[in-house]
Coordinates of all heavy atoms in Angstrom, one line a residue:
T147 N 13.7 51.3 7.6 CA 14.9 50.8 7.1 C 15.2 49.5 8.0 O 15.1 49.6 9.2 CB 16.1 51.8 7.3 OG1 15.7 53.0 6.6 CG2 17.4 51.3 6.7
C148 N 15.6 48.4 7.3 CA 15.9 47.2 8.0 C 17.1 47.3 8.9 O 18.2 47.8 8.4 CB 16.1 46.0 7.0 SG 16.7 44.5 7.8
P149 N 17.0 47.0 10.2 CA 18.2 47.2 11.1 C 19.3 46.2 10.8 O 20.4 46.3 11.2 CB 17.6 46.9 12.5 CG 16.4 46.1 12.3 CD 15.9 46.5 10.9
I150 N 19.0 45.1 10.0 CA 20.0 44.1 9.7 C 20.7 44.3 8.4 O 21.9 44.3 8.4 CB 19.3 42.7 9.8 CG1 18.7 42.4 11.2 CG2 20.3 41.6 9.4 CD1 17.7 41.3 11.2
C151 N 19.9 44.6 7.3 CA 20.6 44.7 6.0 C 20.6 46.1 5.5 O 21.2 46.4 4.5 CB 20.0 43.7 5.0 SG 18.4 44.2 4.4
G152 N 19.8 47.0 6.1 CA 19.8 48.4 5.7 C 18.8 48.7 4.5 O 18.8 49.8 4.0
Y153 N 18.0 47.6 4.1 CA 17.1 47.8 3.0 C 16.0 48.8 3.5 O 15.5 48.7 4.6 CB 16.5 46.4 2.7 CG 15.3 46.4 1.7 CD1 15.5 46.9 0.4 CD2 14.0 46.0 2.1 CE1 14.5 46.9 -0.5 CE2 13.0 46.0 1.2 CZ 13.2 46.4 -0.1 OH 12.2 46.4 -1.0
A156 N 11.8 47.8 4.2 CA 11.4 46.7 5.1 C 10.1 47.0 5.8 O 9.7 48.1 6.1 CB 12.5 46.5 6.2
Q160 N 8.6 41.9 8.7 CA 9.6 41.1 7.9 C 10.3 41.9 6.9 O 9.7 42.8 6.4 CB 8.8 39.9 7.2 CG 9.7 39.0 6.4 CD 8.9 37.9 5.8 OE1 8.0 37.3 6.4 NE2 9.3 37.5 4.6
C161 N 11.6 41.6 6.7 CA 12.3 42.3 5.6 C 12.3 41.4 4.4 O 12.8 40.3 4.4 CB 13.7 42.6 6.1 SG 14.7 43.3 4.7
D162 N 11.7 41.9 3.3 CA 11.6 41.1 2.1 C 13.0 41.0 1.4 O 13.1 40.2 0.5 CB 10.6 41.8 1.1 CG 9.2 41.4 1.5 OD1 9.0 40.4 2.2 OD2 8.3 42.2 1.1
N163 N 13.9 41.9 1.8 CA 15.2 41.8 1.2 C 16.1 40.7 1.8 O 16.6 39.9 1.1 CB 15.9 43.2 1.3 CG 17.2 43.2 0.5 OD1 17.2 42.9 -0.7 ND2 18.3 43.6 1.1
C164 N 16.2 40.7 3.1 CA 17.1 39.7 3.8 C 16.3 38.5 4.4 O 16.8 37.5 4.8 CB 18.0 40.3 4.8 SG 17.1 41.0 6.2
G165 N 14.9 38.6 4.4 CA 14.1 37.5 4.9 C 14.0 37.4 6.4 O 13.3 36.6 6.9
N166 N 14.6 38.3 7.2 CA 14.6 38.2 8.6 C 13.2 38.7 9.2 O 12.6 39.6 8.6 CB 15.7 39.0 9.3 CG 17.0 38.3 9.2 OD1 17.2 37.3 9.9 ND2 17.9 38.7 8.3
L168 N 11.1 40.7 11.8 CA 11.5 42.0 12.5 C 10.4 42.4 13.5 O 9.3 41.9 13.4 CB 11.6 43.1 11.4 CG 12.7 43.0 10.3 CD1 12.5 44.1 9.4 CD2 14.1 42.9 10.9
Ligands
ZN720 ZN1 16.8 43.2 5.8

Side-chain angles (χ1 to χ4, degrees):
T147 306
C148 173
I150 299 165
C151 74
Y153 174 61
Q160 183 177 322
C161 173
D162 282 338
N163 188 51
C164 65
N166 280 287
L168 299 175

